[in-house]
Amino acid sequence: MNDTASSVASSGAAPGALPDGDARRKLRRWRAVKDYFARYSVGTFGVSVIIALGLIFVYLFSEVAPMLRPASMSVENRFPAPGGIDTETSYVTVNRHLELAVRYTTDRRVVFFLPESGEVTHEVDLPLPADAEVTAFTFAEPRTEIVAYGLSDGRALVARHEYNERFSPTGRQYRPAVFYPVADGDDPLTVVDAAGRSIAAIGLQRGAGGVSIAAALDDGTLRLVRFEERTSFMTGEVTVRRIVHDLPGLPQGAQATRILLDITGAHMLVGDDRGFLHYFDIRRPERASLVHSKRVIRGQDAEVTALDYLLGTVAIIVGGSDGSVVQFMLVRDDDNVNQITFIREFRSHAAPVTKIKPEYIRKGFATADERGVVQIHYSTSNRTVARERVGDSPLPVIGFAARANALIAVDDSEQFTYASVRNPHPEVSVGALWGPVWYEGRSQPEFVWQSSSATDEFEPKFSMVPLTLGTVKAAFYAMLFAMPLAILGAIYSAYFMSPKMRGLVKPSIEVMEALPTVILGFLAGLWLAPFVEGHLPAVFSILLLMPLFMIVTAYVWTTALAPLVRRLVPPGWEGAILIPVVLVTGWFCVSLSPFIELWFFNGDMRQWLTDVGITYDQRNALVVGMAMGFAVIPTIYSITEDAVFNVPKHLTQGSLALGATPWQTVTKVVLLTASPGIFSAIMIGFGRAVGETMIVLMATGNSPVMNFNIFEGMRTLSANIAVEIGETAVGGTHYRILFLAALVLFVLTFVLNTAAELVRDRLRKRYSSL
């Protein structure tokens, strides 16, 4: 017997017997290892997810952060005026490579020099007559690089400098020269007044049609000289026709001090010695008229001391003797007449403004005052981005480099100050991104996103409000479509549907989530949008008649049919009866659509909407709501269905046992218990809708409009990033603002999810006692 027991012990425990002590210890150790590994691996991966999200935020912020750095201006060198300090500087500018600068002087010379040292490289004598004095000077838009001298004998000289850059093995080489674009044969001078009256003020501009010169003579007469260029279609030969027009004069007693011409040749602005700005319509010079006069300096005793156009010759910057810096524009009134209109005011100087200098390629400008202070401003963002004292004397002349990365200031003793400028992102401010901005060509402040255009003088519009509103709009209509279908469908399938039917329906709906959104967007844009446009009455008929016919069918099924007929359909399969109802109702509404249009909408519902003032776009929020709602339904349905199905059975059985009907049990017990899960489903679905890209990209028209009209499209943050990221210059303002859009989207979804988690936790605690 003992031998038998020993043999059993040595051969191991019999099947089904408890393990001995050593085996149990090994099992516990192995279980402890697995528990340890599971606990720390889950924790590690959970922390890794948090770290990954944090790194995403850090990366996005690192791309946005450079926009937050302030601009700077620092003095690099000071030197006497190149070419001598015994003559005054009329104009100075620097080329785009900061390797060559040019100075126009009052003693009829053009001096080219090195901007960092002042070393003269070339000099050109202008062909001005010795018996005539220079009485006026002006320059056109900086990118044209043309200037004009007005003379005491009624003539003018228009000059254009060229750097003539070329490359060589040793670096860039320059052969600067000066040309005369309106020369009359061998004579570079042009006659403004044949009677020889002195030119008191002169304006110059070059547009698509040629060069225009406007002059105020010493007796107050205003005259316009146009050099119209015509290019032969057959030979390409350019012919120039000179036309002289006399213009209406200024109001009695006003004397012109500055004349501005725009690049379209339609508008002329004249500043006078009394602080007024006068607008002339010169589209037809032979019928030119003084349209509007406005005092542009607020102080009663203040005067206009500086006046200039910004890039594009739309915005006018006015500097006053009181140090004010103000922007005006021509804005059409209710009678469609342009009026000089105040737009915005910038940081003032503590001394009278002496000079305004616009940038070459942006809507920025610099101002100088009598105390040697230079300020750099940007129009769209309404910012004064930099301020620097470059001397102690008045600064009558300042000049930007072509890329606005350097600046030369000239004081009244002809001392030059060369300063480097770092101002990469002046377009960005809280107001420009999130507030209404009065853009050029607009009649009022607006929220606009328009990042590019076909013209060099375009004003970028980077308002994030239309994109954010478009994101919310698309998500709202998608959830409006998806929530009722997904939640009610989930409640029915989890609580009322038979297990076998549920086993067919639930996987089928969840498989829908695997459909590529690019396919849904493709179908929505190319099939659904035209179908909805052609069957608008059917869409709204389905929304009204489908629920009605379902209720009627349910009423007939429960009350009108005999119990014997109802027994033919097993319990939990009643939902299948609605399949033919849905199909027949949809067919009926589509077939009835043309007749509804004839009866109620004069044969065309879309045209009827237009006639009553409702804009209709083919790719609109209605289409996006249906397409994106279709994509969101599986997410909301699956989570809601699991939440409802997992409600403890003892709660529902107890409710039924106490006499509650199934519907009362659903509304009073099931929904309350499952509410945290249902809320989570809604928020996850909303997050999915907010971040959706391809459907809204292909089915909305991508127009960044500011409304909630269901018949108009929108542009969302995610779609905007997808559309424009490939067009941007890396490191540019547009590029970084797109990263800001991504950061806004990231923060928006993070805040929504955090808020949802807090609400879900509160609901769970509230109903956990049920």
Side-chain angles (χ1 to χ4, degrees):
M1 185 71 180
N2 291 335
D3 294 340
T4 304
S6 301
S7 64
V8 172
S10 62
S11 62
L18 293 175
D20 58 15
D22 292 338
R24 284 196 298 270
R25 285 193 294 272
K26 290 181 180 179
L27 184 59
R28 283 195 297 268
R29 285 198 297 268
W30 176 237
R31 184 180 298 155
V33 170
K34 291 191 288 184
D35 289 345
Y36 179 87
F37 177 77
R39 181 170 61 254
Y40 285 99
S41 61
V42 170
T44 300
F45 290 122
V47 171
S48 299
V49 170
I50 296 174
I51 292 174
L53 292 174
L55 290 176
I56 292 173
F57 177 84
V58 169
Y59 173 69
L60 293 176
F61 187 78
S62 69
E63 293 291 348
V64 173
M67 294 194 300
L68 307 178
R69 293 179 58 190
S72 62
M73 179 170 41
S74 58
V75 175
E76 302 292 338
N77 194 14
R78 290 187 173 90
F79 47 85
I85 62 173
D86 54 345
T87 182
E88 294 181 3
T89 301
S90 299
Y91 182 78
V92 65
T93 188
V94 185
N95 79 336
R96 59 178 180 161
H97 301 298
L98 307 182
E99 295 178 345
L100 194 63
V102 60
R103 175 198 183 204
Y104 286 83
T105 68
T106 55
D107 67 348
R108 311 151 191 258
R109 287 183 302 149
V110 181
V111 180
F112 294 90
F113 63 95
L114 302 181
E116 293 186 352
S117 64
E119 179 184 347
V120 176
T121 60
H122 298 81
E123 281 194 29
V124 177
D125 291 324
L126 295 174
L128 293 172
D131 58 347
E133 297 180 1
V134 175
T135 56
F137 180 87
T138 192
F139 52 89
E141 199 181 46
R143 56 183 173 165
T144 65
E145 297 183 334
I146 60 174
V147 302
Y149 286 87
L151 305 179
S152 59
D153 61 1
R155 292 187 292 176
L157 175 70
V158 178
R160 179 177 185 272
H161 61 272
E162 292 185 358
Y163 299 108
N164 293 324
E165 172 186 324
R166 64 187 180 89
F167 294 92
S168 70
T170 59
R172 293 187 185 90
Q173 302 291 326
Y174 295 94
R175 292 182 179 177
V178 178
F179 300 90
Y180 309 101
V182 296
D184 185 9
D186 295 332
D187 186 5
L189 297 171
T190 184
V191 176
V192 176
D193 181 55
R197 288 172 290 182
S198 176
I199 297 175
I202 188 169
L204 173 69
Q205 197 56 260
R206 181 180 186 89
V211 175
S212 297
I213 300 174
L217 305 179
D218 57 3
D219 62 354
T221 301
L222 294 178
R223 182 158 293 169
L224 177 67
V225 183
R226 280 186 169 171
F227 297 86
E228 296 183 353
E229 299 177 357
R230 298 180 182 272
T231 304
S232 172
F233 176 75
M234 300 297 294
T235 64
E237 180 183 0
V238 178
T239 58
V240 179
R241 185 176 64 158
R242 180 178 178 274
I243 307 173
V244 180
H245 302 277
D246 283 328
L247 305 177
L250 295 177
Q252 186 69 28
Q255 182 177 352
T257 57
R258 183 81 165 94
I259 302 175
L260 300 178
L261 296 169
D262 77 328
I263 58 176
T264 67
H267 310 302
M268 183 177 79
L269 293 164
V270 180
D272 68 15
D273 56 348
R274 301 183 304 175
F276 279 81
L277 188 61
H278 308 276
Y279 161 56
F280 291 82
D281 185 346
I282 58 171
R283 276 175 291 218
R284 295 183 178 181
E286 65 278 4
R287 300 181 185 176
S289 61
L290 174 59
V291 178
H292 188 218
S293 297
K294 183 182 182 70
R295 181 170 178 81
V296 291
I297 297 296
R298 294 179 180 176
Q300 196 63 32
D301 299 327
E303 299 178 357
V304 175
T305 54
L307 180 68
D308 214 330
Y309 270 128
L310 294 186
L311 173 71
T313 65
V314 175
I316 309 127
I317 305 298
V318 178
S321 59
D322 58 353
S324 61
V325 180
V326 187
Q327 178 181 339
F328 293 85
M329 284 194 309
L330 296 178
V331 179
R332 294 188 182 274
D333 60 13
D334 295 336
D335 298 323
N336 203 32
V337 177
N338 281 317
Q339 301 287 309
I340 301 170
T341 305
F342 170 81
I343 303 300
R344 56 179 65 94
E345 187 170 4
F346 301 90
R347 179 179 177 181
S348 298
H349 285 263
V353 177
T354 57
K355 192 67 176 177
I356 296 171
K357 180 65 177 178
E359 293 188 16
Y360 279 65
I361 56 176
R362 297 185 304 195
K363 301 295 180 177
F365 62 99
T367 55
D369 66 21
E370 289 188 352
R371 295 183 181 177
V373 174
V374 175
Q375 294 184 165
I376 298 177
H377 317 267
Y378 197 81
S379 169
T380 309
S381 58
N382 195 15
R383 292 176 60 201
T384 299
V385 297
R387 184 179 187 273
E388 183 73 19
R389 179 181 291 277
V390 299
D392 298 320
S393 303
L395 302 173
V397 178
I398 54 176
F400 262 122
R403 291 177 176 171
N405 53 355
L407 180 143
I408 291 180
V410 185
D411 66 18
D412 58 355
S413 61
E414 292 302 315
Q415 293 295 313
F416 277 48
T417 300
Y418 176 75
S420 61
V421 178
R422 183 199 164 278
N423 185 24
H425 307 294
E427 305 93 336
V428 179
S429 71
V430 174
L433 293 175
W434 299 104
V437 177
W438 202 328
Y439 298 104
E440 294 181 357
R442 306 278 174 159
S443 59
Q444 60 186 0
E446 296 177 352
F447 299 98
V448 181
W449 174 275
Q450 187 182 0
S451 58
S452 61
S453 180
T455 59
D456 294 334
E457 63 269 14
F458 168 73
E459 180 181 25
K461 304 168 182 66
F462 291 127
S463 176
M464 300 290 288
V465 177
L467 305 180
T468 306
L469 181 65
T471 302
V472 175
K473 178 181 176 180
F476 171 78
Y477 284 114
M479 296 299 289
L480 195 65
F481 178 84
M483 281 174 53
L485 295 177
I487 294 175
L488 296 179
I491 293 171
Y492 182 82
S493 63
Y495 192 74
F496 296 101
M497 192 175 286
S498 69
K500 187 172 182 181
M501 189 176 183
R502 177 175 178 270
L504 295 174
V505 172
K506 189 172 188 292
S508 300
I509 295 178
E510 290 176 341
V511 166
M512 289 166 47
E513 196 164 12
L515 290 175
T517 55
V518 66
I519 301 300
L520 295 177
F522 179 80
L523 293 175
L526 297 184
W527 172 75
L528 182 60
F531 178 84
V532 170
E533 182 184 25
H535 300 84
L536 273 175
V539 174
F540 294 100
S541 299
I542 290 173
L543 291 176
L544 294 174
L545 297 181
M546 189 70 74
L548 178 63
F549 285 177
M550 286 183 175
I551 293 172
V552 170
T553 303
Y555 178 79
V556 171
W557 175 260
T558 56
T559 61
L561 294 181
L564 182 62
V565 177
R566 293 201 298 269
R567 287 197 206 99
L568 297 176
V569 178
W573 285 82
E574 293 86 356
I577 300 172
L578 293 177
I579 295 176
V581 175
V582 171
L583 296 176
V584 171
T585 304
W587 170 83
F588 174 75
C589 292
V590 172
S591 301
L592 194 63
S593 179
F595 300 100
I596 296 176
E597 285 190 302
L598 288 173
W599 296 335
F600 300 104
F601 304 107
N602 299 323
D604 190 339
M605 185 175 177
R606 175 177 178 178
Q607 186 60 46
W608 180 86
L609 289 171
T610 302
D611 293 340
V612 299
I614 300 175
T615 303
Y616 184 92
D617 299 329
Q618 185 186 77
R619 300 184 181 186
N620 52 44
L622 177 62
V623 175
V624 170
M626 290 189 285
M628 196 154 68
F630 185 84
V632 171
I633 281 175
T635 301
I636 301 176
Y637 170 86
S638 181
I639 299 174
T640 301
E641 209 272 350
D642 288 339
V644 174
F645 187 78
N646 290 324
V647 172
K649 297 301 181 184
H650 69 271
L651 295 178
T652 58
Q653 291 169 359
S655 175
L656 294 172
L658 292 172
T661 64
W663 182 248
Q664 290 174 327
T665 301
V666 167
T667 57
K668 302 297 184 180
V669 177
V670 174
L671 289 183
L672 295 179
T673 307
S675 58
I678 296 174
F679 185 78
S680 296
I682 293 172
M683 297 311 298
I684 292 174
F686 185 74
R688 164 76 189 277
V690 166
E692 177 55 46
T693 302
M694 293 311 299
I695 294 176
V696 292
L697 181 66
M698 303 175 73
T700 63
N702 284 306
S703 50
V705 295
M706 280 288 297
N707 61 55
F708 244 76
N709 183 3
I710 194 173
F711 298 120
E712 288 190 65
M714 78 290 288
R715 178 178 287 196
T716 66
L717 290 165
S718 57
N720 188 66
I721 295 169
V723 168
E724 299 192 4
I725 193 66
E727 304 174 0
T728 62
V730 176
T733 301
H734 184 195
Y735 175 84
R736 299 199 185 280
I737 288 179
L738 291 181
F739 272 90
L740 176 62
L743 184 61
V744 169
L745 190 61
F746 182 87
V747 172
L748 178 63
T749 54
F750 180 80
V751 170
L752 285 174
N753 290 333
T754 302
E757 180 62 24
L758 294 175
V759 174
R760 188 186 69 84
D761 186 63
R762 184 175 178 181
L763 290 174
R764 187 176 65 247
K765 291 179 179 178
R766 181 174 181 179
Y767 298 114
S768 60
S769 59
L770 290 178

